[in-house]
């Protein structure tokens, strides 16, 4: 059972929740202990003993303690103090858009600012084609052409173009999935504000910055003004402690959280992740954690920057950045505590990310495919995790297993990085031995369906034979982030969201499978 001790003498909470982790029902319910409503008083002033040397304040000239997100808003709006609910003009550090929303945002920019208007800062705009790329759909191809014309016209510094659709490697500027590319190309920095025309822009919160998705109208305004009117969100804090079992990944952690608070539990709230478990996560795993906060309705997810963050960024950006951290007496709307050592592998059953269940509870669910890819589960470490399961089993997959690296760099890693304990084999070699499909060109792929010719899209039910009965299945275990009807193509498709461990284990059996069958 999770610990019920909360340091109430240092941090203020309106609600406090301890969440039991072991042997929970598959029903998304709360196990709350020592929960009580506490209204904390605002600190009007702080008196400190006289000191011979006064150290600089971490928040500037402020009267009240603030959370990380509140501090970033205060800095970006040039305010000394902010509280949840306030509306402020926020200066934007990075605006990202892609081939789906970019053309619309550009159209609004030109309509409102003028056909010959110039963007506010050509070096703070990042444009990444990634969604509907490897397709013959003329309108999808036209979208990339619109981006290219605009970037040439505006001399946009960071446009990751693709022209040769037949061979992505012939396009050195092409990257792939925007949220992974933003990190790999050094556009994510602690303490900054990053906005993007994609709901999963919240992924970048892993770097200790405010990152959230916005619509085309807002993006069109930011293109011309470099700022946006935003409301300061209240913060939910998630404290995750305990040693991470070797059969769990960050995907299990975020599915646990969404299952607890529901898909609306964090609506327009910041989700701050702290604790010894979070500190032990790699940057890519932290990105997974923050990636799916929007599936809980969250405005943004955020992880305090630390040595892991700084090491990742060391060779990716030369721009200075200044991390911020929540004050000891910052106010949080609620706090949830988890003992991660007691968690088990999870899935989200159709048709909602909060339809949580233990993977072992779904062992009788027959599947017809596995999909490993997307901004959530298509990073280098995700493929290394899947390869680890295939290597441990020594078996071949029983259903088609589709592999879509998020970016060109991830694709190269799949073909070059040795898998630990494999004797030097790469992921690609292990995937081939296991009978998986050849890793596809990097893109968003079938995560959101796309045109009919999108690789691995769920188009038609697959026939499955059992004695004298023919079943027509359309059931996928996927490392993606949403499982709504029609999300990956066919409206009758059933999607089980899972970690790369669970996805790989399921591929080996043809049923939803707990990865402990192969990892222990």
């Amino acid at each position: 059972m999770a610990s019920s001790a909360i340091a109430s003498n240092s941090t203020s909470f309106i609600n406090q929740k301890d969440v039991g982790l072991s042997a929970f029902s598959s029903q998304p319910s709360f196990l709350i202990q020592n929960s009580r409503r506490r209204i904390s008083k605002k600190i009007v002033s702080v008196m400190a003993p006289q000191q011979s040397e006064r150290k600089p304040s971490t928040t500037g000239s402020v009267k009240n303690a603030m959370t990380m997100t509140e501090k970033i808003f205060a800095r970006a709006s040039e305010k000394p103090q902010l509280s949840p609910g306030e509306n402020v003009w926020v200066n934007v550090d990075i605006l990202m858009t892609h081939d789906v929303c970019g053309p619309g945002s550009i159209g609004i920019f030109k309509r409102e600012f003028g056909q010959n208007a110039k963007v506010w800062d050509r070096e703070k705009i990042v444009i990444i084609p990634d969604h509907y790329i490897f397709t013959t759909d003329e309108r999808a191809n036209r979208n990339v052409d619109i981006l290219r014309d605009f970037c040439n016209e505006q001399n946009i510094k960071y446009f990751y173009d693709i022209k040769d659709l037949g061979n992505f490697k012939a396009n050195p500027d092409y990257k792939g999935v925007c949220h992974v590319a933003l990190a790999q190309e050094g556009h994510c920095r602690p303490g900054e504000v990053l906005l993007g025309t994609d709901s999963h822009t919240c992924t970048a919160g892993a770097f200790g910055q405010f990152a959230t998705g916005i619509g085309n109208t807002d993006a069109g305004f930011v293109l011309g003004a470099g700022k946006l009117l935003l409301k300061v969100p209240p913060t939910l804090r998630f404290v995750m402690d305990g040693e991470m079992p070797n059969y769990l990944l960050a995907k299990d952690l975020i599915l646990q959280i969404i299952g607890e608070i529901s898909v609306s539990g964090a609506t327009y709230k910041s989700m701050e992740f702290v604790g010894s478990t979070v500190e032990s996560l790699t940057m890519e795993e932290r990105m997974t954690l923050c990636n799916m906060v929007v599936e809980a309705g969250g405005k943004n997810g955020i992880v305090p920057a630390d040595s892991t963050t700084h090491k990742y960024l060391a060779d990716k950006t030369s721009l200075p950045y200044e991390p911020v951290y929540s004050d000891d007496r910052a106010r949080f709307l609620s706090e949830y505590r988890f003992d991660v050592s007691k968690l088990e592998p999870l899935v989200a059953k159709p048709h909602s990310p909060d339809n949580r269940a233990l993977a072992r509870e779904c062992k009788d669910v027959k599947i017809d495919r596995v999909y490993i890819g997307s901004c959530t589960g298509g990073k280098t470490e995700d493929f290394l995790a899947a390869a680890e399961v295939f290597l441990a089993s020594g078996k071949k997959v029983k259903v088609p297993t589709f592999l879509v690296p998020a970016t060109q760099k991830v694709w190269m890693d799949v073909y070059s990085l040795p898998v630990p304990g494999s004797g030097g084999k790469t992921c690609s070699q292990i995937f081939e031995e296991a009978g998986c499909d050849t890793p596809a060109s990097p893109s968003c792929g079938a995560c959101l369906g796309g045109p009919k010719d999108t690789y691995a899209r769920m188009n038609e039910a697959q026939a499955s034979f059992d004695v004298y009965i023919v079943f027509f299945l359309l059931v996928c275990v996927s490392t993606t982030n949403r499982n709504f009807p029609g999300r990956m193509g066919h409206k009758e498709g059933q999607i089980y969201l899972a970690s790369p461990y669970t996805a790989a284990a399921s591929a080996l059996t043809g049923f939803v499978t707990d990865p402990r069958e192969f990892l222990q």
Side-chain angles (χ1 to χ4, degrees):
M1 187 62 67
S3 168
S4 60
I6 298 179
S8 58
N9 63 335
S10 62
T11 307
S12 298
F13 304 98
I14 295 177
N15 292 297
Q16 301 170 355
K17 298 178 176 66
D18 282 2
V19 186
L21 297 178
S22 59
F24 65 87
S25 164
S26 61
Q27 298 299 318
S29 60
F30 288 106
L31 296 177
I32 305 172
Q33 296 180 340
N34 297 340
S35 176
R36 58 189 184 275
R37 184 173 181 82
R38 300 178 55 205
I39 306 298
S40 59
K41 299 178 180 178
K42 285 188 176 181
I43 303 171
V44 178
S45 63
V46 178
M47 297 296 292
Q50 181 112 15
Q51 296 179 342
S52 57
E53 178 184 356
R54 182 175 179 181
K55 296 182 179 180
S57 169
T58 58
T59 59
S61 177
V62 300
K63 294 182 179 180
N64 296 335
M66 292 189 288
T67 66
M68 291 177 66
T69 295
E70 291 161 10
K71 287 184 180 182
I72 294 171
F73 268 62
R75 177 191 290 172
S77 62
E78 301 176 358
K79 304 281 187 183
Q81 175 70 39
L82 286 176
S83 298
E86 291 188 63
N87 294 298
V88 291
W89 286 101
V90 173
N91 293 314
V92 177
D93 293 294
I94 294 291
L95 173 69
M96 183 279 299
T97 191
H98 50 52
D99 55 295
V100 173
C101 297
S105 301
I106 291 166
I108 291 168
F109 164 73
K110 287 180 173 291
R111 185 188 72 196
E112 300 299 327
F113 288 90
Q115 290 298 315
N116 298 317
K118 293 297 182 182
V119 297
W120 106 96
D121 191 328
R122 72 176 191 87
E123 295 190 8
K124 292 186 176 182
I125 297 166
V126 182
I127 298 184
I128 310 178
D130 66 347
H131 276 57
Y132 305 149
I133 304 304
F134 302 103
T135 174
T136 58
D137 188 282
E138 292 181 358
R139 284 174 290 188
N141 298 156
R142 181 198 61 189
N143 277 1
V144 179
D145 294 338
I146 293 172
L147 297 183
R148 185 180 304 113
D149 291 342
F150 180 74
C151 289
N152 289 335
E153 169 193 306
Q154 298 283 339
N155 195 25
I156 300 298
K157 184 174 182 179
Y158 300 109
F159 173 46
Y160 299 110
D161 195 9
I162 180 167
K163 295 179 180 177
D164 186 346
L165 302 183
N167 177 16
F168 72 89
K169 290 176 287 185
N171 304 269
D173 292 337
Y174 177 69
K175 302 305 173 186
V177 177
C178 58
H179 309 301
V180 180
L182 281 170
Q184 292 178 341
E185 299 304 313
H187 299 298
C188 301
R189 290 176 288 271
E192 293 192 353
V193 173
L194 187 156
L195 304 181
T197 58
D198 190 287
S199 59
H200 291 106
T201 302
C202 52
T203 305
F207 292 86
Q209 64 184 138
F210 176 80
T212 196
I214 59 174
N216 291 4
T217 303
D218 285 345
F221 182 81
V222 174
L223 280 171
K227 61 180 64 179
L228 189 64
L229 185 65
L230 291 172
K231 182 169 69 175
V232 182
T235 298
L236 303 177
R237 180 179 253 191
F238 298 86
V239 184
M240 313 187 84
D241 289 313
E243 185 176 353
M244 188 95 138
N246 67 351
Y247 46 79
L248 291 184
L249 293 169
K251 182 66 167 290
D252 297 293
L253 305 187
I254 193 61
L255 289 180
Q256 166 70 17
I257 289 171
I258 297 171
E260 285 294 336
I261 68 175
S262 85
V263 290
S264 61
T267 300
Y268 209 94
K269 297 176 181 67
S270 175
M271 297 174 67
E272 182 175 315
F273 302 103
V274 297
S276 60
T277 305
V278 177
E279 292 168 3
S280 71
L281 296 178
T282 64
M283 284 311 304
E284 289 196 355
E285 284 285 83
R286 296 178 189 187
M287 289 167 67
T288 300
L289 198 60
C290 289
N291 173 271
M292 285 188 67
V293 301
V294 70
E295 272 67 56
K299 183 64 174 175
N300 71 299
I302 195 163
V303 175
D306 58 12
S307 58
T308 300
T309 318
H310 305 319
K311 183 178 179 180
Y312 182 94
L313 292 174
D315 63 348
K316 293 179 174 62
T317 182
S318 59
L319 295 177
Y321 56 82
E322 184 180 352
V324 297
Y325 304 94
S326 292
D327 292 321
D328 287 342
R329 294 185 177 275
R331 281 173 57 100
F332 296 92
L333 192 61
S334 297
E335 179 175 276
Y336 298 80
R337 286 182 173 267
F338 299 86
D339 181 350
V340 172
S341 67
K342 293 182 171 62
L343 264 178
E344 296 185 53
L346 298 171
V347 297
K349 300 186 294 184
H351 292 283
S352 180
D354 63 1
N355 194 9
R356 179 188 63 190
L358 296 173
R360 60 179 172 83
E361 292 178 330
C362 303
K363 60 184 176 62
D364 295 326
V365 176
K366 189 174 179 59
I367 67 174
D368 79 322
R369 70 189 68 197
V370 165
Y371 186 95
I372 300 175
S374 83
C375 55
T376 316
K379 303 179 292 300
T380 296
E381 291 174 10
D382 297 316
F383 287 103
L384 286 168
E388 181 183 344
V389 175
F390 292 137
L391 182 67
S393 74
K395 301 178 179 179
K396 287 188 175 293
V397 298
K398 293 188 175 179
V399 295
T401 301
F402 304 106
L403 312 169
V404 186
T407 65
Q408 190 155 183
K409 182 184 183 305
V410 175
W411 189 94
M412 293 172 64
D413 288 344
V414 166
Y415 277 88
S416 62
L417 291 183
V419 176
S422 69
K425 291 182 180 179
T426 64
C427 287
S428 61
Q429 291 173 313
I430 293 172
F431 294 151
E432 183 178 3
E433 291 173 0
C436 301
D437 261 36
T438 302
S441 301
S443 74
C444 293
C447 172
L448 72 165
K452 273 250 180 178
D453 61 351
T454 298
Y455 174 76
R457 186 183 190 273
M458 297 177 75
N459 288 328
E460 302 295 338
Q462 301 294 311
S464 177
F465 300 91
D466 185 2
V467 192
Y468 301 107
I469 304 174
V470 179
F471 296 95
F472 287 92
L473 301 175
L474 205 62
V475 183
C476 179
V477 173
S478 178
T479 64
T480 55
N481 42 56
R482 288 178 183 156
N483 57 352
F484 309 131
R487 170 66 181 183
M488 293 183 70
H490 201 289
K491 65 181 181 181
E492 294 180 8
Q494 297 186 47
I495 304 165
Y496 286 76
L497 302 178
S499 75
Y501 279 162
T502 302
S506 302
L508 290 165
T509 64
F511 293 84
V512 175
T513 301
D514 189 315
R516 286 176 289 188
E517 289 193 19
F518 301 103
L519 294 177
Q520 287 188 333

